[in-house]
Amino acid sequence: MYIIGLLMLLHVGLQGVQCVAFYTEKPSYIESCRIYEPEFTKCSTRSIQAFMNQLVKGVPELEESFGPIDPMRQDQLVFKQDNSDVATISANLTNMLISGFGKMVIKESKVSKKDFSWLTKIFLPKMRMDGHYKMLGRILLVPLQGSGKIVMEIDDLDILMSTKTRLYEKGGYTFYNVTSVKVKLEVGKVRTRMDNLFNGHSKEVEQSTNQFFNDNWKDVFEALRPLVDETVERTLLDLLHKTFSLFPASFFVEDIPTSLALYGRKSHMIT
C-alpha cells in the first residue's frame, strides 16, 4: 500500500507480523550523488548537510521511532574505567539528553567504494549533555561517591565519525544497514557540573571540587572521554540505523550496487 511515498510491507518473523514502512519516492530535500564521479565527496557533503537539516526540522516517521534530533535521548549508560592514570570510575548515567546537533555542520562526507562504509567530519558549536549520574571512584586523585544531576557542556566540538554499513534489499530497494559507529572527538573547551558529589555532606566541598574540575577541564575530559564517546556513539548508531531503514541508499548514492553485486550474494536485514 502506497501512502505519501511510503511503502508498507508486512514482515512475518518470530515476533509475529510487523508493519515496515519506508520511502519509495525520493523527497525533494535529498540530493542524489554518483560515487564514481570526481566531485562525489563534495556532492555527498552537500547532500548529507541538507538531509540532516531536514531531520532537525522533523521527519514524522523518524520521530515516531527515534524522537527529536535536538535534543536526543539516551535512556541509560553503564560505564566502568579502571585502566587510566587519571581516573578510576564506575558510573551509571540515566535519562540523558544530548543537545546541540540541531546546529551541526557536515564538514565532509566520504563513502568508501570498497564496502560503502562512511567517514564523516561533523562540527558542533556546542554540545550539552544533561542527565542523572551515580558514580563511585576517583578523578585526578579526587575521590567521588554520589548521585545526582550532571551537566557537561562542550564548545567547538569536532567529531570524526566512522560508520560501518552492510547493504541489503527490501521491497526491491537497496538499503544501508548501519552496523557500528565509532567517533573521535576534539574539543575546544569543556565545563562540567555534578550535583550532590559527596551525597550532600558538604556543599562547599562539592562547589570547590566542581571548580577544580573546570580549572583542569582538559584532564577531566580525558578521564571522562570514554564515557562521552560511548554516549555519542550509541545515540548516533540508534539515529542512523533507524534513519537509513526509512530511506533507500540509492536516494543518496544513485549508482550504489545491490548486495548481490557487491558481496556475490543477496543480503537481507537481520532484525
Side-chain angles (χ1 to χ4, degrees), residues 197-210:
L197 260 179
F198 305 100
N199 289 320
H201 292 314
S202 174
K203 287 296 182 182
E204 290 183 359
V205 175
E206 175 187 307
Q207 184 175 352
S208 63
T209 301
N210 276 301

Side-chain angles (χ1 to χ4, degrees), residues 35-99:
I35 197 167
Y36 296 104
E37 291 188 353
E39 298 294 309
F40 171 77
T41 296
K42 288 184 179 179
C43 179
S44 179
T45 301
R46 189 171 61 243
S47 172
I48 296 302
Q49 179 71 73
F51 180 62
M52 297 310 296
N53 290 347
Q54 182 62 42
L55 294 192
V56 171
K57 292 178 182 177
V59 172
E61 297 80 18
L62 182 61
E63 289 185 349
E64 287 180 10
S65 61
F66 180 80
I69 304 300
D70 199 2
M72 296 187 285
R73 181 177 296 277
Q74 183 65 244
D75 291 332
Q76 184 173 27
L77 181 66
V78 178
F79 173 79
K80 186 174 183 179
Q81 177 171 295
D82 54 13
N83 59 351
S84 169
D85 293 335
V86 293
T88 301
I89 303 171
S90 177
N92 184 15
L93 301 181
T94 55
N95 298 323
M96 297 295 294
L97 287 177
I98 300 99
S99 307

Side-chain angles (χ1 to χ4, degrees), residues 216-262:
N216 297 275
W217 65 267
K218 290 183 179 179
D219 292 328
V220 172
F221 179 74
E222 288 306 316
L224 297 177
R225 178 186 287 275
L227 185 149
V228 179
D229 285 354
E230 188 170 350
T231 301
V232 173
E233 287 170 353
R234 287 181 56 176
T235 306
L236 289 179
L237 175 60
D238 188 28
L239 170 63
L240 295 175
H241 184 82
K242 290 174 178 175
T243 298
F244 287 96
S245 68
L246 279 172
F247 296 91
S250 56
F251 284 6
F252 304 89
V253 182
E254 188 175 328
D255 51 350
I256 199 166
T258 63
S259 61
L260 177 62
L262 185 62

